[in-house]
Structure formats: C-alpha cells, structure tokens
Amino acid sequence: KAGVTQTPRYLIKTRGQQVTLSCSPISGHRSVSWYQQTPGQGLQFLFEYFSETQRNKGNFPGRFSGRQFSNSRSEMNVSTLELGDSALYLCASSLAPGGDSPLHFGNGTRLTVT
Amino acid sequence: QQQVKQSPQSLIVQKGGISIINCAYENTAFDYFPWYQQFPGKGPALLIAIRPDVSEKKEGRFTISFNKSAKQFSLHIMDSQPGDSATYFCAASRGGYQKVTFGTGTKLQVIP
C-alpha cells in the first residue's frame, strides 16, 4: 500500500504570496490532518478533515485554510505569507477521525518564506 | 488543559544503554497515548501506544510506562542502538473528533 504522499517536497515563497500544499492519503483512509512542525514548537495541529468536512481546527489565523475532496485528497492553503510561516508542513491520514486512530504521516512539505 | 510537556529536549546515550523520555499531561479526559518516532527528512511514524487501563506496554526494546494518578507517561528504550537516533514525540488524545496533542519532541542520539 502506498503511503501518504505530499507535494511538493520543497517550496520557496516570498512574503505576501500564497501557497497551496497537497496531500494524498493512504488508500481507504478518509481522515486527513495537517500539522506545522518547527524547531522547539514540535507539531502544532492545524486542522482535520473527514468526509470533506472540517471536523477540528487548531489555533492558527484565518490565513491558513484547507479542504478535502471526495477522493479524500486534501489541500492546505496559506495566504499572505509571513516569515514565521517557514516550517515543515506535515499531512497525516487515518482510517477514522479523532484522536485514537493511529496517524500515518507523509514526509512533509518544507516551506521557506523569504 | 491541552498541553503535553515532554522532557528532556535532547538526550545522548551510549550504545547498549537505556534511553528514557518523560511526558506529563493535564487533561484527565485523554485516553490514548501514542509515541511517534521521526528520522531526519521523514514524517513521524507511530512507534507504540498505550491506553490508561494498563500501566505498562512493551514492544521489543520499547516500553511505555503509564502513571495515571501522576498524569505522567514515559518511553524506555532498552539496549539503545545507533539506529534509534531520531526525534521522539509523545502525544495524547481522546476519541471522537478530538485533535492529537503532541509534546515538543526529544532528539535522541545514541553514540557507539
């Protein structure tokens, strides 16, 4: 079974631009979560989608948004990029939504904002 | 209430030694406590998980110890190997549409 695929692997953007990251979950997994990873902060939860609906949201500004398609693939969008948005963005899929279903992570998209 | 505090931030252990990473939580509603292992350039991968109805779970060289009354849990890596060098994250969550809360991570280096 193929794992979670995230594209692109690396992105360099300029302040003020917007960016879209893509995530393809493991086949059969209907829940997709997004996390921001920065040194010292660990993994910060962004949002979780299940059946095309956002089920949970973390404490990030409205510039961070996402969506899930009918095939469970998900995209995350960040508008008006700031230097502090530079991070590794991780997508994770799971069979079911919620906290007690094991998460399967992709290898992330490294975003650098200059 | 949603925090999970993890220590130490970094750890150096000699090959063959025991690596111990500790985590503490506040929310007594948490009922699932996984540990994830992350190698450089890779996403985290589930290592082992425990529920609060047991005090210990062992899988190979990896053991989770859980103290419900103290709201603490820890990961023990016995006979640590250089291949165990990675960043380890503890986490806690509830069932239902609840997010997983991660600790800040521990970078483990096992030296020969």
Side-chain angles (χ1 to χ4, degrees):
Chain A
K1 227 177 201 181
V4 176
T5 303
Q6 290 189 246
T7 56
R9 285 299 309 273
Y10 302 93
L11 265 177
I12 299 176
K13 290 286 187 179
T14 305
R15 270 181 303 176
Q17 289 186 314
Q18 78 165 22
V19 66
T20 299
L21 313 182
S22 180
C23 172
S24 293
I26 291 173
S27 178
H29 285 195
R30 296 170 59 197
S31 178
V32 173
S33 304
W34 288 88
Y35 289 83
Q36 181 194 66
Q37 184 176 11
T38 54
Q41 293 293 315
L43 285 82
Q44 301 291 312
F45 174 78
L46 282 154
F47 26 66
E48 178 180 28
Y49 286 86
F50 179 76
S51 294
E52 302 177 66
T53 301
Q54 187 180 92
R55 302 292 180 170
N56 214 334
K57 190 177 189 306
N59 297 324
F60 278 82
R63 300 184 297 106
F64 292 81
S65 63
R67 59 177 175 169
Q68 186 181 34
F69 302 96
S70 58
N71 61 358
S72 295
R73 192 177 69 84
S74 177
E75 287 182 348
M76 189 191 103
N77 186 76
V78 188
S79 62
T80 320
L81 284 166
E82 301 177 359
L83 293 179
D85 296 334
S86 294
L88 179 68
Y89 290 88
L90 292 162
C91 165
S93 73
S94 58
L95 276 170
D100 58 359
S101 188
L103 298 173
H104 300 263
F105 285 89
N107 290 331
T109 293
R110 173 75 62 185
L111 172 65
T112 302
V113 182
T114 62
Chain B
Q1 268 262 307
Q2 293 295 318
Q3 268 192 316
V4 176
K5 295 181 181 178
Q6 183 172 348
S7 63
Q9 191 173 357
S10 63
L11 182 61
I12 300 175
V13 173
Q14 289 237 276
K15 179 182 174 181
I18 303 174
S19 303
I20 302 174
I21 304 170
N22 299 300
C23 286
Y25 63 98
E26 300 169 356
N27 189 345
T28 55
F30 286 147
D31 60 5
Y32 180 68
F33 301 88
W35 285 87
Y36 285 83
Q37 178 189 54
Q38 184 179 30
F39 293 106
K42 301 290 186 183
L46 180 65
L47 186 63
I48 186 173
I50 197 169
R51 293 192 184 273
D53 53 346
V54 297
S55 60
E56 186 174 281
K57 183 174 181 179
K58 185 176 181 179
E59 288 185 4
R61 297 183 293 108
F62 300 90
T63 300
I64 300 178
S65 296
F66 187 83
N67 186 330
K68 190 173 181 179
S69 60
K71 293 186 287 185
Q72 295 176 346
F73 58 111
S74 59
L75 176 69
H76 291 64
I77 306 174
M78 313 300 287
D79 186 26
S80 298
Q81 300 296 313
D84 297 330
S85 297
T87 300
Y88 293 81
F89 293 94
C90 63
S93 66
R94 299 165 50 189
Y97 294 119
Q98 301 296 327
K99 68 176 184 178
V100 178
T101 300
F102 284 85
T104 50
T106 296
K107 187 171 184 179
L108 170 65
Q109 184 180 1
V110 181
I111 55 177

